[in-house]
Amino acid sequence: MDLRSELLKSIWYGFTALDLEKSGKVSKSQLKVLSHNLCTVLSIPHDPVALEEHFRDDDDGPVSSQGYMPYLNKYILDKVEEGCFVKEQVDELCWTLTAKKNYKPGKDNKNVLPGKDAFSLWCLFNFLSEDKYPLVMVPDEVEYLLKKMCMAMSVELNCVELEDFISKDTVQQNGFTVWSFLEMMNSGKVTRGMDQEITSMAIEEVYREIVGDVLKEGYLWKKGQLRRNWKERWFTLRPGTLAYYTSEDRKERQGNIPLDGDCCVEVLPDRDGKRCMFCLKTLSKTYEMSASDTKQRQEWTAAIQTAIRLHTEGKTSLHKDLKLKRREQREQRERRRLAKEEELQRFRALQEEKERKLAELELLKEAQRQAQALLEQDEMRRRQQHDEMQQALEVQLREAEESRASMQAEMILKEEEAERQRKRIKELEGLQTSLEEALHQEIKARQDEEVFRYAQTGLLSEEEEKMKALMALQDEQEEYIRKTQREKQELRQEMENKTRALEEAQRQLEEVRANRHRVDQDVVAAQRKLRQASTNVKHWNVQMNRLMRPVGPGEKRSSGGSFSSFQIPSQRDPGLRLRQRSEEQDDESKENVDSSGAGIGCEGERRLSQTSNGGMDIP
C-alpha cells in the first residue's frame, strides 16, 4: 500500500462527508474548500482557479467522486512529496470532516471513547481496511486488531461477543465499516469494563506500533561516546532509525542512529558492572547498550535486525508487509475452501451418478424380469396351443381310424354281399372319395403342424440369443458397480486423511497461540516490574545523595554528634532541580566536545553547583 493509496482512503471519507444528500456528488464550492485545506496540510501550492478550469465544460451543478478524481490526481496528489508533510495532519483534517456527520456516540453510554482514541481507531481501521471502496475491514483483520489491543491491556479477547457481532447479516455480507467498528468499541463488550485510561494507553500503543511503524520501545542503558558513562534512555525503534530520548514522554530527543545494510548487532559479555550488554555497529560509531535481562536483550537485538532487514529490502513498514501476508493467507484459505467445495461437488456428482446408474440398473433388472415373465407367458400360451392342436389331431386320427375300421368291415360285408348290393357300389365309391379327401386334409394338417414346429424352434433360438445378450449386459453392469465402489472407497480414504491433517494443523495452531499469549503476559509483567524497580532505584539514589552531603566550613555540628540538625532538601527544591537538569544537559553536550572543553565545562558546573547549594559540593 503506497502513500497515494493511504491518502486516498482518508480523502474518500472527507469527500463522502461533504455529500449530505448521499447522492454521490458534492458542490464545487465545497470541493474548493476541501482542495485548499488538502493543499495546506500537504504543503503544496494551491491554485484556486484550477478547479474551475478543470470543470469549465460542466454546468454549475455538483461533482461526483469519479469527476473529482482526475483533478485530485493531477493538481494535488501528483505534487505530493513524501517527507514534506505530516500524514497525521491529513488524517485529522479528514477525520474532523467525517466525524461531524457520521460519528455520533450515545451520550448516555459510559464507555464512549474520547475523540483522540476514536481518531486513532479510525486511522487503524484505514490502515487495515481493504483497498476497495466503500472501505470495509474483513473480520480477520478486526480480530487481529482487537487481539493487539487486548494484549496491550493484558486481558483476553471476548471471542463470544465478537462472533455474535460478526454473525450479523450486514457484517457477513459486506464486512465491518468504521462506524460499526467504533459502535462495537463504544459498547464496551470487547474491553469488558476496563478503565478508560488503560484503554486509551492500549489504543495509543497499538496506534504507534501499526500506524507509527514503531517496532519496539523501552528503556535501555547507553554508554556515552566521550565521557563513557552510562545513562538510561528511552529508545524508539523504527525501520531505518533508532532514536533515544531523555524519558518516555519523547519530548527531548538526545540522538538518532540511522540503520542501513552496513549496521550489525553483536552480543557483548558483562563488564563495568553492566549485564545483558550488546552493541550496535555502524560505519562511523559503535553504540554500547545494556538491557534489563537476557530476554529484553534478545528482543532488542531481534527487533534491530528486523529494522535493518526492512530498510535493506526497501520496506518502510513491518505491518504493511504483515498485512499483505495475512491477505495472501486469506486468499489461500479461500482457494483451499473453493477447492474443497469443488471436491465435495465432484463427490456429490459421483454419488448422484452412482445412484442414477443404480436406478438404471434396477430399471434394467425390472425390465429383464418383465421380459422373462412375458417370455414365460408366451411359452405357456404356445404350449397350450400346441397341446390343444395335438389333442384335436389325436381326436381326428382316432375318428379316422375308427371310420377306416368300420369302412373295412363294411367292405368285407359288401364283398360278401357284392352280388346283392351292386346298386350301392356307386355310393360306396363316393364314400371312398370323401375318405380320400379327408386323408389329404389330414396330411395337409400334419404338414402345417411341422411348419409351426419349425417356427416355434426359431422363436426359441431367438429367445436364447436375447437371454445371452441380457446376461452379458448384466455382467458389464456388475463390473461397473464394483469399479464405482472401489473409487468411492478411495475417495472416502482420501477425505479421511485430509480431515485428520486439518484437525492436527488446527490443534498445533491453538497450541502456538496459547504459548504466544503466555509469553506476552510474562513480558508485560516483567516490563512493569522493571519500571517499578527503576523508579525505586532513582528515588533512593536521590535520597542517598541528599543524606550524604558533606559539611562545609563554617557550619555548626550538633553537640551530640548526631544528624538531628542536618537539613534534608525536599524533592521540590528548585536549586537541586536546576542543578540536576543542568548536569544532564552538560553530560549530553560533553559527548560532542574535546577533552579541554570538557575540563572547562566541569569547572563551570562545579561553580554553578556551589552557588545553588550555598558553597557546598554535592556529589
Side-chain angles (χ1 to χ4, degrees):
M1 185 171 62
D2 55 358
L3 180 62
R4 183 184 292 259
S5 300
E6 294 179 3
L7 293 174
L8 282 176
K9 285 185 177 181
S10 300
I11 295 173
W12 178 79
Y13 278 106
F15 184 89
T16 54
L18 297 176
D19 183 15
L20 300 178
E21 298 180 356
K22 296 183 180 181
S23 61
K25 294 183 178 182
V26 180
S27 63
K28 289 184 179 180
S29 60
Q30 291 177 318
L31 290 180
K32 286 180 180 179
V33 177
L34 176 62
S35 303
H36 179 73
N37 291 330
L38 288 175
C39 291
T40 302
V41 296
L42 291 172
S43 301
I44 58 175
H46 176 59
D47 187 2
V49 189
L51 185 64
E52 291 293 341
E53 293 180 353
H54 186 74
F55 296 105
R56 63 179 179 271
D57 296 334
D58 297 338
D59 55 5
D60 295 333
V63 178
S64 64
S65 59
Q66 290 81 6
Y68 182 62
M69 279 301 297
Y71 168 81
L72 182 64
N73 288 321
K74 180 178 180 181
Y75 293 98
I76 297 179
L77 297 181
D78 289 345
K79 300 178 182 179
V80 172
E81 296 181 3
E82 188 172 0
C84 297
F85 67 97
V86 180
K87 172 69 167 49
E88 189 173 356
Q89 294 180 357
V90 181
D91 294 335
E92 287 178 354
L93 170 64
C94 298
W95 165 253
T96 303
L97 291 175
T98 190
K100 290 181 179 179
K101 177 183 177 183
N102 300 303
Y103 184 59
K104 298 177 181 179
K107 297 181 180 180
D108 298 334
N109 192 352
K110 298 180 181 180
N111 298 315
V112 173
L113 297 171
K116 182 180 179 182
D117 295 343
F119 168 70
S120 300
L121 290 175
W122 179 76
C123 294
L124 288 168
F125 182 92
N126 291 342
F127 184 89
L128 297 175
S129 62
E130 298 298 307
D131 299 334
K132 295 182 293 185
Y133 296 92
L135 294 175
V136 295
M137 187 161 54
V138 297
D140 291 342
E141 294 294 328
V142 174
E143 184 176 0
Y144 172 77
L145 177 57
L146 294 178
K147 284 183 178 179
K148 296 287 288 185
M149 293 176 57
C150 291
M151 287 172 58
M153 293 187 292
S154 300
V155 298
E156 186 177 357
L157 177 63
N158 190 351
C159 298
V160 177
E161 297 290 346
L162 180 61
E163 290 178 359
D164 292 341
F165 193 82
I166 292 176
S167 61
K168 294 182 179 179
D169 295 337
T170 56
V171 175
Q172 287 182 347
Q173 295 175 0
N174 305 321
F176 279 85
T177 63
V178 66
W179 312 118
S180 62
F181 176 69
L182 291 176
E183 179 184 357
M184 181 182 65
M185 294 301 299
N186 284 327
S187 65
K189 296 180 179 179
V190 178
T191 57
R192 291 185 295 182
M194 293 294 294
D195 187 52
Q196 188 67 50
E197 184 177 356
I198 297 176
T199 306
S200 299
M201 291 175 63
I203 293 173
E204 177 66 19
E205 181 179 345
V206 176
Y207 175 81
R208 284 181 55 76
E209 178 183 353
I210 296 179
V211 180
D213 296 327
V214 176
L215 298 180
K216 188 171 178 59
E217 284 185 318
Y219 279 106
L220 289 174
W221 288 91
K222 175 184 171 296
K223 191 173 185 179
Q225 296 293 318
L226 295 178
R227 296 184 62 184
R228 311 302 290 173
N229 58 340
W230 290 89
K231 291 188 178 180
E232 193 175 26
R233 294 287 181 255
W234 177 268
F235 282 81
T236 299
L237 176 63
R238 288 187 173 90
T241 180
L242 176 62
Y244 53 95
Y245 304 85
T246 304
S247 61
E248 57 183 319
D249 57 5
R250 301 182 300 277
K251 292 182 179 179
E252 298 181 6
R253 190 172 72 175
Q254 300 297 325
N256 189 25
I257 305 174
L259 303 177
D260 52 22
D262 298 324
C263 299
C264 65
V265 183
E266 293 182 0
V267 177
L268 299 177
D270 298 344
R271 66 171 184 271
D272 299 337
K274 295 295 180 182
R275 53 190 298 271
C276 303
M277 294 178 59
F278 65 95
C279 68
L280 173 61
K281 293 183 178 180
T282 64
L283 290 177
S284 58
K285 294 181 181 180
T286 298
Y287 299 89
E288 295 183 8
M289 286 164 278
S290 173
S292 59
D293 52 22
T294 306
K295 185 176 181 181
Q296 283 294 317
R297 178 175 65 181
Q298 183 179 359
E299 290 180 357
W300 272 104
T301 54
I304 293 173
Q305 289 173 354
T306 302
I308 295 172
R309 177 181 59 82
L310 291 174
H311 182 75
T312 304
E313 294 176 356
K315 298 177 181 178
T316 59
S317 174
L318 173 63
H319 286 277
K320 291 179 182 178
D321 191 23
L322 295 177
K323 177 185 175 182
L324 294 177
K325 290 182 180 179
R326 291 195 301 272
R327 183 179 297 173
E328 291 176 358
Q329 291 176 356
R330 288 197 300 272
E331 292 175 354
Q332 291 176 0
R333 288 199 301 269
E334 184 65 20
R335 286 195 294 269
R336 287 196 296 268
R337 186 184 65 80
L338 294 176
K340 188 174 181 181
E341 289 181 356
E342 291 178 358
E343 185 177 356
L344 289 175
Q345 290 178 359
R346 288 197 299 269
F347 179 74
R348 293 193 189 99
L350 290 174
Q351 191 71 18
E352 292 175 357
E353 182 69 17
K354 178 184 175 182
E355 293 177 356
R356 185 179 62 80
K357 289 184 177 180
L358 288 175
E360 292 178 356
L361 182 61
E362 291 295 331
L363 292 175
L364 289 175
K365 289 182 178 179
E366 184 65 24
Q368 184 179 1
R369 287 194 294 270
Q370 292 178 0
Q372 185 71 21
L374 291 175
L375 289 174
E376 292 177 355
Q377 291 178 1
D378 292 339
E379 180 67 17
M380 291 292 293
R381 188 170 58 254
R382 285 195 296 270
R383 287 179 180 179
Q384 289 177 359
Q385 291 177 358
H386 178 71
D387 293 341
E388 290 176 356
M389 292 177 66
Q390 189 173 2
Q391 291 176 0
L393 289 174
E394 289 177 354
V395 170
Q396 291 177 2
L397 284 173
R398 285 195 300 270
E399 290 177 354
E401 289 176 354
E402 291 175 356
S403 63
R404 184 180 296 175
S406 63
M407 187 175 61
Q408 288 178 356
E410 289 177 359
M411 287 293 293
I412 293 172
L413 292 173
K414 287 179 180 180
E415 286 178 357
E416 291 177 352
E417 293 179 358
E419 293 298 331
R420 292 178 297 175
Q421 295 182 358
R422 290 195 179 270
K423 294 182 180 178
R424 295 182 64 183
I425 292 174
K426 293 182 181 178
E427 297 177 358
L428 292 173
E429 289 178 353
L431 181 60
Q432 185 178 1
T433 303
S434 62
L435 289 173
E436 288 176 357
E437 290 179 357
L439 183 61
H440 286 303
Q441 290 179 358
E442 181 180 358
I443 293 172
K444 186 176 179 181
R446 289 184 177 181
Q447 291 177 352
D448 294 335
E449 181 182 359
E450 292 293 332
V451 171
F452 183 79
R453 286 181 179 178
Y454 288 143
Q456 184 178 8
T457 304
L459 290 175
L460 289 174
S461 62
E462 290 179 0
E463 181 181 355
E464 290 178 355
E465 291 177 356
K466 288 182 180 180
M467 286 293 294
K468 291 179 180 179
L470 287 174
M471 293 298 292
L473 180 60
Q474 185 176 4
D475 293 337
E476 291 178 358
Q477 290 173 352
E478 291 177 352
E479 179 65 25
Y480 184 78
I481 288 172
R482 288 193 295 271
K483 182 179 179 181
T484 305
Q485 290 177 350
R486 287 196 300 272
E487 292 177 353
K488 178 181 177 182
Q489 186 67 24
E490 293 175 356
L491 287 174
R492 185 178 299 164
Q493 186 67 26
E494 184 178 358
M495 287 183 64
E496 290 177 354
N497 293 335
K498 289 184 178 180
T499 303
R500 286 194 296 270
L502 179 59
E503 291 176 352
E504 180 64 21
Q506 289 179 351
R507 184 184 63 79
Q508 294 178 359
L509 178 61
E510 291 296 330
E511 292 178 358
V512 170
R513 286 179 176 173
N515 293 332
R516 187 184 64 182
H517 181 67
R518 289 195 297 271
V519 169
D520 291 340
Q521 288 181 346
D522 294 339
V523 168
V524 172
Q527 289 178 352
R528 184 166 58 251
K529 292 179 180 179
L530 176 62
R531 287 194 294 269
Q532 184 64 30
S534 177
T535 304
N536 293 335
V537 169
K538 288 181 179 180
H539 172 71
W540 287 111
N541 283 338
V542 173
Q543 294 297 329
M544 288 298 296
N545 287 335
R546 291 174 180 174
L547 291 173
M548 296 179 66
R549 183 178 61 180
V551 179
E555 294 186 358
K556 294 182 180 180
R557 298 179 179 267
S558 62
S559 59
S562 62
F563 292 93
S564 60
S565 63
F566 186 76
Q567 183 179 0
I568 299 176
S570 64
Q571 295 181 2
R572 302 181 179 271
D573 189 2
L576 181 59
R577 294 177 59 187
L578 178 61
R579 176 187 174 278
Q580 291 176 351
R581 184 172 182 181
S582 62
E583 183 179 359
E584 291 177 358
Q585 293 178 353
D586 188 66
D587 290 340
E588 293 295 334
S589 63
K590 285 176 182 179
E591 294 180 0
N592 301 315
V593 298
D594 54 7
S595 59
S596 60
I600 297 172
C602 292
E603 183 65 22
E605 177 185 357
R606 188 179 301 109
R607 291 177 181 176
L608 178 60
S609 63
Q610 289 176 358
T611 304
S612 61
N613 293 281
M616 291 188 294
D617 188 10
I618 299 176

